[in-house]
Amino acid sequence: MNKAEVKRGLINRLKKANAFWSYQVDAIKDVPDDILVELVMLHLDLDDINKLFDIYPYKFVKKAWIENVVAQGEMYYVVNKFFAWYYFKMKKPGAYVRSMATRELNKKLIA
């Protein structure tokens, strides 16, 4: 499968998972790549998350995860700690997640 097919499949799975609850689902044709990473990591399973690494570079997925998921703070702390350990091989995932969340918050406060 090519990138477009995988992306289309992930979008369809997100629609079925009701991840676009605040949008008219029929109107959704495409999703920005960083938002797709966020939604897949928050709403779909590990098999779907693994597909992200098939269609995007590791660094892109990690950056999108930090900026869009970790930045949401405590609400997703436990799942982010798992992602830090499982996907990004952090030796101290809890400390890493907290430091990245703080960094993202500081970026928003300064901007």
Side-chain angles (χ1 to χ4, degrees):
M1 276 205 271
N2 66 25
K3 180 179 177 177
E5 290 173 356
V6 173
K7 189 174 176 181
R8 194 168 33 258
L10 290 172
I11 291 170
N12 288 334
R13 297 240 322 123
L14 286 165
K15 287 178 181 180
K16 288 179 186 169
N18 203 27
F20 301 108
W21 59 271
S22 64
Y23 295 92
Q24 185 176 358
V25 175
D26 297 337
I28 297 172
K29 302 293 182 225
D30 196 22
V31 176
D33 293 339
D34 62 326
I35 301 302
L36 182 66
V37 170
E38 172 187 355
L39 293 174
V40 168
M41 292 185 105
L42 293 178
H43 297 283
L44 299 181
D45 60 23
L46 294 179
D47 289 335
D48 294 316
I49 295 170
N50 291 338
K51 290 177 186 174
L52 293 173
F53 292 95
D54 293 337
I55 61 173
Y56 299 115
Y58 173 88
K59 283 185 175 185
F60 177 82
V61 175
K62 185 176 179 183
K63 182 177 186 279
W65 167 66
I66 290 170
E67 291 177 354
N68 297 336
V69 183
V70 172
Q72 294 184 40
E74 285 296 315
M75 188 166 143
Y76 296 112
Y77 174 73
V78 174
V79 75
N80 281 324
K81 193 173 158 182
F82 170 75
F83 291 150
W85 168 77
Y86 187 77
Y87 287 110
F88 305 110
K89 309 299 183 223
M90 297 300 146
K91 296 206 185 306
K92 295 182 180 180
Y96 181 79
V97 167
R98 288 193 194 283
S99 70
M100 291 298 104
T102 301
R103 185 183 81 177
E104 292 302 309
L105 177 62
N106 287 338
K107 273 195 220 174
K108 290 176 181 164
L109 291 175
I110 293 171

